[in-house]
Amino acid sequence: MNKFITSASDLVITHEQTRTGFLAIALEKNMVGDPYVKQALAFKTMVAHTNGPDDFLNMREIRPFMLTEAGLSEKSLQHLNEEDYIMVIKELIEKFLKPAGEAYIDETVYRFLLTKGDAIGSAMRNRIGDIRQEKFVRYLLSCMSIRGINYWWGDKEQTRFSWCVKPTNDINIEKKIKAIYWENENAA
């Protein structure tokens, strides 16, 4: 039996569907954020022996952590040099870490996680859109498969676009599809 959207109420999702979506997003956020928590814990271990935030200046191995904590993005680092790095770390130490007193290590960790949290928020907005698109494409392909409808698809990983024939094994194709095309044999 064909089921079509006939009114706006046909688009309303159930509480269970909403709940499932929010729980999936929460789990995804935790998975995306986990490496940053591990980095923060590793940082704490590396600097546990320091006497104060000034010691951070001579520890080149923690410089990427410190630059992130200072609020610099990966993109911004491409436009800065070593002098800029030292300047921003010194400013961070003077304005935020020294005033924190003995809690300077925790202050450093919190600032790092705050910066990474902001990045996660941005990444998650994109990821949520990707997840929804992948679910929709998978649903569409499943319906087409059941009906025996052949399709052609464009692979977003190809540098030059071309149509590919429906594969015999389409596992994870929803992550690679850029475009999809099929013919309606019932069209006049």
Side-chain angles (χ1 to χ4, degrees):
M1 179 171 137
N2 290 333
K3 183 174 181 182
F4 299 101
I5 298 170
T6 58
S7 69
S9 64
D10 292 337
L11 298 173
V12 177
I13 62 174
T14 66
H15 170 74
E16 184 61 30
Q17 290 168 319
T18 301
R19 179 183 169 277
T20 299
F22 280 123
L23 292 176
I25 291 166
L27 179 61
E28 186 77 13
K29 278 183 188 176
N30 278 290
M31 288 173 37
V32 170
D34 191 55
Y36 303 128
V37 172
K38 300 292 190 282
Q39 288 174 19
L41 293 171
F43 169 82
K44 282 185 87 167
T45 301
M46 291 174 73
V47 300
H49 69 281
T50 58
N51 297 316
D54 285 326
D55 291 354
F56 293 170
L57 280 172
N58 301 320
M59 299 176 70
R60 289 190 62 81
E61 66 274 16
I62 66 166
R63 184 154 299 159
F65 189 93
M66 297 297 296
L67 293 171
T68 297
E69 173 203 353
L72 296 174
S73 67
E74 294 290 325
K75 186 175 184 179
S76 69
L77 294 178
Q78 297 171 15
H79 303 282
L80 303 175
N81 60 34
E82 189 69 20
E83 289 176 15
D84 298 325
Y85 298 163
I86 292 169
M87 181 194 68
V88 77
I89 291 172
K90 281 182 178 178
E91 199 168 308
L92 177 71
I93 289 169
E94 290 301 319
K95 291 185 177 177
F96 300 102
L97 302 185
K98 283 185 178 179
E102 290 183 17
Y104 69 96
I105 292 174
D106 286 339
E107 183 73 18
T108 305
V109 167
Y110 299 148
R111 290 182 176 283
F112 171 82
L113 292 173
L114 184 63
T115 299
K116 286 301 186 180
D118 184 49
I120 289 171
S122 176
M124 284 307 300
R125 285 185 288 282
N126 293 333
R127 183 66 190 125
I128 290 166
D130 291 345
I131 290 169
R132 295 292 158 227
Q133 179 176 324
E134 290 166 10
K135 283 184 177 242
F136 174 74
V137 168
R138 175 46 55 199
Y139 179 78
L140 179 65
L141 296 180
S142 296
C143 289
M144 293 171 76
S145 177
I146 289 170
R147 292 175 175 223
I149 298 172
N150 289 318
Y151 63 86
W152 295 264
W153 65 287
D155 188 338
K156 66 181 170 186
E157 295 173 356
Q158 290 181 345
T159 54
R160 186 170 178 185
F161 184 83
S162 65
W163 290 108
C164 304
V165 178
K166 173 186 170 186
T168 54
N169 180 353
D170 68 355
I171 293 174
N172 287 327
I173 194 172
E174 64 273 13
K175 296 181 183 311
K176 300 189 302 183
I177 279 187
K178 179 178 186 171
I180 187 168
Y181 164 77
W182 67 95
E183 293 179 5
N184 182 352
E185 295 181 12
N186 296 326

